[in-house]
Amino acid sequence: MKIEDFNFAGHKAIVRVDFNVPLDENGHVTDDTRIRGALPTLKKVLNDGGALIMMSHMGKPKGKVKPELSLSQIVKNVSDALGVDVKFAKDCANADAEAAALKGGEALLLENLRFYPEEEGKPVGVEKGTPEYDAAKAEMKERQKAFAKKLASYADVYVMDAFGTAHRKHASTAVIADSFDKEHKMLGFLMEKEVKAVDAVLGNIQRPFTAIMGGSKVSTKIGIIENLLTKVDNLILCGGMTYTFAKAQGGKIGKSICENDKLDVALDVMKKAKANGVNLVLGTDSIIADDFKNDANQKVAPSNDIPDGWEGMDAGPETRKAFAAAIKGAKTILWNGPAGVFEFDNFTGGSRAIAEAVAEATKEGAFSLIGGGDSVACINKFGLADQVSYISTGGGALLEAIEGKVLPGVAAIEK
């Protein structure tokens, strides 16, 4: 069922949203992008006259109740965004009374789903690889099904609109869908947009195609890097990964972040890029610092010749020019991960250079897809969010979709 074709009047809809928003030390929302992203779906339910139940996770409480991760802290933000007084259920697994009392046009937010281990469905307190683990896993699977059925019992329609968790087979993202027939489960508007955006990048590639992969570890990105090597014309690898590649080629990297057990993987990536005719762009110079803090002493050094006691913190001036050159003229652009420690204002230059080059290429007609929490934070920090084609709300889900994997949260709706 397509959400645009469904009339929610007289129905109760339970919507899986991604309200895992950043909070400051006082519990105030610092970036409401994810709340705003869910509004078209949520308002459709309410405007049709349906009753709206929202469920989400926040952080990683690992099956325990942690007040600092309570969704009660965002009720006002959601109420303001929706324009209705959102009610709150303090226990997501025992919200029968609150759900039953809900009338058309009213909205309810359930407490953090991950306060229950059944949401993620991982056995607690047993070691992987032991006979006890296998037994606990089977038991947890049954508990997860029961938890999903409980959530489903609150409503008669299920809407999946949390792209950021669509790559997880959790109770609320996939298992719950088994309780609804095809006419009463659907993707929300945000999910539909996300799936279309991925298709625009991979299903209809306009060339040249430039992908920018940042972040600290090669290991977390290797699947997508290898997949992209068969698709892109230019591949920029930046951020902490720079120093694993530099060391793999015999460079000196001081105390920069490095995955010593992935040096052979880095060399293999370089070999595959060459074999596939991909222009692999790696940092040649870095802004280095003598401490991991914003006000540390800094200077420019070759990325493969960093003195002892110093570490790479950002892309250097020559590297920024090389990045911009690989982005200029591109017709399809994918960006995931910053070029440096952008959380520190003094080390945002590399990420800013990428953001500005992507915005410029977009102005010239490129389709640009920005995904992953840090890249989104970058583009917002630099005030360029309205100058790119699409900003994805999902990090891991986006990467897995681009890697060619089937997302459980999408598959559950389609079956």
Side-chain angles (χ1 to χ4, degrees), residues 4-57:
E4 53 264 41
D5 300 330
F6 193 86
N7 185 350
F8 288 92
H11 291 283
K12 273 185 186 154
I14 187 158
V15 183
R16 178 49 159 107
V17 288
D18 183 4
F19 285 170
N20 184 25
V21 294
L23 305 174
D24 64 19
E25 61 277 11
N26 299 313
H28 298 136
V29 176
T30 57
D31 182 351
D32 68 348
T33 305
R34 286 176 169 167
I35 294 173
R36 286 185 284 110
L39 289 179
T41 294
L42 305 179
K43 286 187 170 176
K44 158 80 171 152
V45 175
L46 294 174
N47 292 344
D48 279 0
L52 171 66
I53 300 166
M54 296 165 282
M55 56 179 176
S56 177
H57 75 284

Side-chain angles (χ1 to χ4, degrees), residues 67 70-76 88 109 111:
S70 171
L71 289 175
S72 61
Q73 300 169 100
I74 69 166
V75 171
K76 186 178 186 311
F88 184 67
L109 176 64
E111 180 57 285

Side-chain angles (χ1 to χ4, degrees), residues 193-250:
K193 272 170 68 182
E194 296 276 6
V195 172
K196 277 181 193 160
V198 171
D199 193 53
V201 168
L202 296 188
N204 181 31
I205 297 170
Q206 303 295 309
R207 298 193 178 278
F209 179 10
T210 296
I212 307 139
M213 288 286 124
S216 57
K217 294 180 176 179
V218 180
S219 56
T220 57
K221 301 277 170 84
I222 190 59
I224 188 167
I225 288 169
E226 289 187 336
N227 194 43
L228 287 170
L229 285 172
T230 65
K231 294 181 170 66
V232 300
D233 302 291
N234 304 294
L235 179 59
I236 295 170
L237 296 181
C238 55
M241 284 191 278
T242 302
Y243 309 104
T244 299
F245 279 86
K247 188 168 182 180
Q249 296 171 83

Side-chain angles (χ1 to χ4, degrees), residues 114-284:
R114 288 190 187 169
F115 282 178
Y116 282 86
E118 290 84 355
E119 163 63 2
E120 295 182 88
K122 290 177 188 167
V124 182
V126 282
E127 266 188 63
K128 261 188 180 178
T130 62
E132 292 80 13
Y133 182 84
D134 292 338
K137 193 175 174 185
E139 187 215 342
M140 180 55 84
K141 197 172 180 184
E142 292 308 309
R143 283 169 55 189
Q144 187 184 47
K145 279 185 195 168
F147 182 66
K149 274 187 180 166
K150 181 66 179 200
L151 295 171
S153 72
Y154 302 149
D156 60 341
V157 185
Y158 169 62
V159 184
M160 172 57 177
D161 209 27
F163 184 71
T165 60
H167 59 311
R168 307 287 187 206
K169 195 173 180 181
H170 290 172
S172 68
T173 60
V175 185
I176 187 175
D178 292 341
S179 295
F180 298 87
D181 63 33
K182 273 200 159 182
E183 298 305 304
H184 293 86
K185 60 181 174 182
M186 63 205 72
L187 298 179
F189 289 120
L190 182 60
M191 280 289 291
E192 283 186 348
K193 272 170 68 182
E194 296 276 6
V195 172
K196 277 181 193 160
V198 171
D199 193 53
V201 168
L202 296 188
N204 181 31
I205 297 170
Q206 303 295 309
R207 298 193 178 278
F209 179 10
T210 296
I212 307 139
M213 288 286 124
S216 57
K217 294 180 176 179
V218 180
S219 56
T220 57
K221 301 277 170 84
I222 190 59
I224 188 167
I225 288 169
E226 289 187 336
N227 194 43
L228 287 170
L229 285 172
T230 65
K231 294 181 170 66
V232 300
D233 302 291
N234 304 294
L235 179 59
I236 295 170
L237 296 181
C238 55
M241 284 191 278
T242 302
Y243 309 104
T244 299
F245 279 86
K247 188 168 182 180
Q249 296 171 83
K252 266 182 67 190
I253 60 166
K255 60 175 183 176
S256 304
I257 189 169
C258 177
E259 289 182 286
N260 289 310
D261 60 338
K262 293 291 180 283
L263 302 181
D264 56 335
V265 173
L267 293 173
D268 192 47
V269 165
M270 295 176 77
K271 200 188 298 177
K272 282 180 181 166
K274 195 172 183 183
N276 291 344
V278 172
N279 173 33
L280 182 64
V281 186
L282 294 164
T284 54

Side-chain angles (χ1 to χ4, degrees), residues 81-108:
L82 271 179
V84 300
D85 274 339
V86 173
K87 302 171 198 306
F88 184 67
K90 292 178 183 175
D91 183 347
C92 63
N94 292 287
D96 309 71
E98 292 95 331
L102 211 58
K103 297 181 178 67
E106 293 182 341
L108 171 70

Side-chain angles (χ1 to χ4, degrees), residues 331-352:
K331 289 295 171 215
T332 305
I333 301 167
L334 168 69
W335 180 22
N336 174 274
V341 189
F342 83 101
E343 303 94 313
F344 296 156
D345 288 344
N346 290 336
F347 299 100
T348 58
S351 301
R352 185 183 290 276

